[in-house]
Amino acid sequence: MKEKLLLGVRKVDITPEPGCRLFGYVDDLYSETVNDPLDATAFAFSQGEVSSIMVSITVVSLSQELSDRIRSGISEK
């Protein structure tokens, strides 16, 4: 008999507070309000001894350093 496929999903709001620098504009332009919320969604899959995680975030860019820190944090858990 095959092992059950397990799936977990979690979505969190990652919208910064007004006052943060706006990406893609001049360097000194900061937000005054929130127009569109940003979120991160994680999908965790597991079947037997095999597990995987897929993460989707609503941001324009992610540095390699931050990506590596996220991967390390997930691996430690």
Side-chain angles (χ1 to χ4, degrees):
M1 182 160 88
K2 290 191 174 196
E3 305 248 1
K4 287 184 180 179
L5 173 63
L6 304 174
L7 168 64
V9 179
R10 176 74 193 267
K11 183 176 182 178
V12 295
D13 185 339
I14 60 169
T15 307
E17 294 293 322
C20 68
R21 190 173 74 79
L22 294 174
F23 183 83
Y25 295 89
V26 294
D27 287 342
D28 61 349
L29 186 59
Y30 295 85
S31 67
E32 296 177 1
T33 62
V34 173
N35 188 41
D36 295 308
L38 304 177
D39 59 60
T41 305
F43 302 86
F45 305 89
S46 180
Q47 187 172 32
E49 298 293 318
V50 179
S51 297
S52 183
I53 295 177
M54 178 175 64
V55 179
S56 172
I57 56 175
T58 52
V59 297
V60 174
S61 178
L62 191 67
S63 71
Q64 186 66 49
E65 178 186 348
L66 181 54
S67 176
D68 290 344
R69 285 181 31 217
I70 291 169
R71 284 188 185 122
S72 293
I74 291 171
S75 293
E76 289 173 10
K77 298 285 181 183

